[in-house]
Amino acid sequence: TTTTTTTTTTTTTTTTTTTTTTSTTTALVPAGAKLFLEENGNKYYGIPVADGKTLVEGTVAETCEGAGMRAVCAGDSSCHWSSERCEVVAMESNPCGNAMNGLSRKICGNKYPRDCPKLDGLFNYMNGWSLGECGTVGGSWCTGGNNYVSGKTATYYAYCVKN
């Protein structure tokens, strides 16, 4: 008697390939934005405030945040006009409350914002100021934003920093 045994072995090999895709998203600067200054890795912009928006407290911060930026503080972190909604930057940190003065002195030859036509229509975030945001309009410096609506007679701009 002859017995034959047949053994069949099946080997299955599974190969898994994992592909990782990394993408970097760079927020685009909104149309109509004004680049005022690049310094120490920061870019300082005027970002157009949406038509129909009044420059009440918070409008500048909202506009900057919507553009992937931060509002510039009008002083250092101990300044009562500063809050977590803005970024302290060296050129604007001293003295407290001199909104846009550092920028003006750098781009307009050591002049105050009211004497710097490049800043006309620019508003700075001002935490807790009853008059709204602080703007430079028509030769006036720190005019109350509560009286200004962007797009009504002019487009107004939020003072923002991107780093």
Side-chain angles (χ1 to χ4, degrees), residues 4 14 19 24 28 39 44-45 56-57 72 74 86 90 92 102-103 108 111-112 127 160:
T4 307
T14 305
T19 305
T24 304
L28 297 176
E39 182 178 79
Y44 298 91
Y45 285 95
V56 296
E57 180 191 337
V72 176
C86 62
E92 301 292 4
L103 178 63
C108 283
K111 293 181 179 176
Y112 287 107
N127 178 55
C160 307

Side-chain angles (χ1 to χ4, degrees), residues 115-129:
D115 301 319
C116 181
K118 293 176 186 177
L119 298 186
D120 195 54
L122 186 66
F123 282 78
N124 206 125
Y125 170 73
M126 295 292 279
N127 178 55
W129 194 36

Side-chain angles (χ1 to χ4, degrees), residues 18-91:
T18 304
T19 305
T20 304
T21 305
T22 305
S23 62
T24 304
T25 305
T26 305
L28 297 176
V29 175
K34 298 178 180 181
L35 176 61
F36 291 114
L37 178 69
E38 289 186 62
E39 182 178 79
N40 300 326
N42 291 329
K43 293 181 180 181
Y44 298 91
Y45 285 95
I47 301 298
V49 173
D51 286 354
K53 289 282 282 181
T54 302
L55 276 295
V56 296
E57 180 191 337
T59 300
V60 167
E62 289 167 17
T63 301
C64 295
E65 290 160 6
M69 300 182 198
R70 302 259 302 146
V72 176
C73 293
D76 65 17
S77 59
S78 68
C79 177
H80 56 281
W81 305 121
S82 297
S83 80
E84 68 285 343
R85 296 203 68 193
C86 62
E87 186 161 326
V88 172
V89 298
M91 73 175 173

Side-chain angles (χ1 to χ4, degrees), residues 10-22:
T10 305
T11 304
T12 305
T13 304
T14 305
T15 305
T16 305
T17 304
T18 304
T19 305
T20 304
T21 305
T22 305

